[in-house]
Amino acid sequence: MQPRRKPWVAAQRDTAPKGRKNVAYTVPKLKDFSPAALDTAVAELVSALEQESTKPGNADQSKAFRDRWLARKDGILTQVNDLWLKAAPKEAKRDVGQRVNKLKTEVAQRVEAALAQGPITSSNASLDISLPGIRRPIGAEHAIIRTMNEIVGVFKNLGYSVAEGPVIETEYYNFEALNFPPNHPARDTQDTLFLANQESKPRREQLLLRTHTSPVQIRTMEKLKPPIRIVIPGKVHRNDPPDASHSPMFHQVEGLAVDTNITFGDLKGTLDHAMKALFGSDVKTSFRPSFFPFTEPSAEMFVSCFICGGSGKRGGGTKEEPCRPCKQTGWIEILGCGMVDPNVFEFVKHNGYDPEKVSGFAFGMGVDRIAMLKYGLDDLQLFFQGDVRFLEQFG
Ligand code: DAH
């Protein structure tokens, strides 16, 4: 007589299709329906179920697993039904029935889990914690925003507050209240984008895309009484076709300080400090006369070239070449500035800005150009093309 073999192992050897091992089981017929015999039979079935359902597998394998156990025709549960329940003598029916029901629930749960998870797993056996994780790119602060925040940060440290204003602005704030009289040629220096269909409105209410952040000077002085110290970061637009150094949309940081007895010396000291904080303590500043309608006197401020150190040349010996960022002059133009024109104060005199009593200075700088210089770029368009390979370098 042969030794009794575990029915699952035996069945598996007999019936497994070619090339698929360890998969099919046949339910044994039961002769003994005593609780002890049922215990053994059920335990063997459950152990087969456990073994199979803890093996990792793909979607196809999960479906095969489901079919083997649940198929109406010849599925393992159907066999259990036929060979155990139907075949059970009357007095064992109830006991067998209860055990089969429990079994059905167990099988259903495991099949469901296998189908839902893909890989069949009742433990973490398939999770290899030594594999590298999934990297979620978190993005990087845009180089322009970063530069803008740096500039604003320098002035915040000096006690300045941050003010903002609308990008769609009225003619009044963008030009008139900044002492650009209607039809004055100074308006032509800022090639303006106007909104369509504004003709029916009075001229000063007509809308345009602000050409600079200076209108926020007026808006802030209308709201806050002197003394004030503010910086104004923001987007501005001009009708300039895009090229390596122009963009119809760009960014500025404006500044305004108004108090009693503010002098040009305060302006120079403040801006010299700010440039050293931004570009390094070695840089020098130089102020040259200029014109803006809203400041008098006005100046353009230059910093000594922080790329060539002010020499106008880069490299040395045979490798020496002209410094392009400063056009070999050793100086880089950074901003416009000046003492607030008394005509500007006249527009906000009602809020405490009497030109006889207060004075102030203002300045405005282009963030995009500063960011280009800082990061050594020669094409402004890189900032706006959205190429992730470029943008992610600033993380
Ligand atoms: N708004 C000027 C421009 O966009 C820049 C400027 C110059 C701002 C002088 C100022 C200033 O506040 O005082 O060209």
Side-chain angles (χ1 to χ4, degrees):
M1 212 179 109
Q2 282 198 343
R4 190 175 174 268
R5 291 180 303 180
K6 279 199 170 182
W8 315 114
V9 180
Q12 174 189 316
R13 279 205 210 104
D14 296 343
T15 57
K18 255 203 175 142
R20 267 184 43 210
K21 290 192 178 125
N22 272 339
V23 287
Y25 305 96
T26 314
V27 179
K29 277 188 183 163
L30 291 184
K31 287 187 194 103
D32 184 355
F33 286 88
S34 70
L38 283 173
D39 277 349
T40 319
V42 169
E44 280 176 354
L45 191 70
V46 167
S47 115
L49 176 67
E50 274 170 1
Q51 223 186 52
E52 201 181 335
S53 66
T54 51
K55 257 183 250 147
N58 58 27
D60 283 350
Q61 285 165 324
S62 300
K63 279 186 193 149
F65 170 61
R66 173 195 63 194
D67 295 345
R68 256 186 327 274
W69 287 83
L70 292 179
R72 269 197 196 178
K73 190 171 173 288
D74 247 17
I76 290 174
L77 285 185
T78 305
Q79 292 179 44
V80 166
N81 226 33
D82 293 345
L83 300 176
W84 294 5
L85 192 58
K86 286 187 186 159
K90 224 176 172 189
E91 64 280 5
K93 272 241 163 41
R94 198 181 138 91
D95 188 14
V96 177
Q98 277 171 356
R99 289 172 198 261
V100 169
N101 276 343
K102 245 176 97 183
L103 210 58
K104 277 184 184 164
T105 316
E106 174 83 21
V107 172
Q109 275 170 2
R110 283 181 183 262
V111 165
E112 200 179 314
L115 290 173
Q117 288 170 17
I120 306 168
T121 166
S122 69
S123 68
N124 282 339
S126 67
L127 181 67
D128 182 350
I129 57 166
S130 68
L131 289 173
I134 298 166
R135 189 170 154 258
R136 290 177 202 279
I138 54 164
E141 196 172 36
H142 195 281
I144 288 180
I145 301 298
R146 175 183 269 222
T147 307
M148 195 138 110
N149 286 341
E150 262 174 50
I151 300 169
V152 167
V154 168
F155 288 95
K156 272 192 184 169
N157 287 344
L158 290 174
Y160 283 58
S161 319
V162 178
E164 285 182 304
V167 174
I168 297 176
E169 190 50 282
T170 61
E171 238 248 11
Y172 175 77
Y173 287 111
N174 197 76
F175 290 125
E176 193 177 332
L178 287 165
N179 198 32
F180 289 79
N183 304 318
H184 193 280
R187 295 193 178 201
D188 296 345
T189 61
Q190 305 193 350
D191 208 346
T192 311
L193 292 159
F194 292 89
L195 270 72
N197 308 322
Q198 301 283 305
E199 295 76 14
S200 59
K201 288 185 185 168
R203 184 168 179 160
R204 49 165 47 183
E205 286 171 30
Q206 291 182 12
L207 297 173
L208 45 78
L209 297 183
R210 71 177 178 195
T211 54
H212 50 176
T213 41
S214 307
V216 189
Q217 290 189 27
I218 309 295
R219 288 184 172 275
T220 312
M221 286 193 282
E222 283 179 347
K223 273 188 275 179
L224 305 176
K225 296 197 184 310
I228 58 165
R229 281 161 181 75
I230 51 163
V231 269
I232 305 152
K235 257 189 215 324
V236 301
H237 293 79
R238 290 190 198 175
N239 188 17
D240 288 329
D243 65 24
S245 55
H246 293 88
S247 162
M249 185 281 299
F250 55 104
H251 303 79
Q252 293 187 333
V253 173
E254 184 92 9
L256 173 70
V258 183
D259 206 335
T260 48
N261 298 321
I262 296 262
T263 67
F264 204 91
D266 295 319
L267 179 158
K268 287 181 84 172
T270 304
L271 291 180
D272 187 74
H273 165 85
M275 294 306 119
K276 288 183 163 64
L278 281 173
F279 301 115
S281 51
D282 296 343
V283 297
K284 296 189 187 71
T285 49
S286 163
F287 292 79
R288 305 182 192 172
S290 184
F291 172 78
F292 300 102
F294 41 93
T295 44
E296 183 59 34
S298 304
E300 258 151 21
M301 193 194 71
F302 291 70
V303 295
S304 56
C305 181
F306 43 86
I307 289 148
C308 65
S311 68
K313 295 182 203 88
R314 295 172 81 181
T318 51
K319 291 218 175 102
E320 190 177 283
E321 54 176 69
C323 180
R324 276 210 292 163
C326 68
K327 301 190 193 92
Q328 304 177 60
T329 62
W331 294 94
I332 295 176
E333 189 196 325
I334 289 287
L335 54 77
C337 58
M339 301 306 291
V340 179
D341 193 304
N343 289 346
V344 170
F345 284 139
E346 288 295 337
F347 286 92
V348 285
K349 197 171 175 178
H350 57 275
N351 200 28
Y353 292 88
D354 182 344
E356 299 293 326
K357 295 190 180 128
V358 295
S359 58
F361 66 77
F363 57 87
M365 62 188 104
V367 179
D368 315 61
R369 219 170 78 79
I370 295 177
M372 279 176 78
L373 290 166
K374 253 177 81 93
Y375 295 112
L377 305 175
D378 54 11
D379 186 358
L380 175 64
Q381 297 307 317
L382 285 167
F383 286 135
F384 310 124
Q385 284 160 344
D387 186 330
V388 174
R389 290 168 304 175
F390 170 75
L391 297 173
E392 70 186 359
Q393 296 176 69
F394 301 94

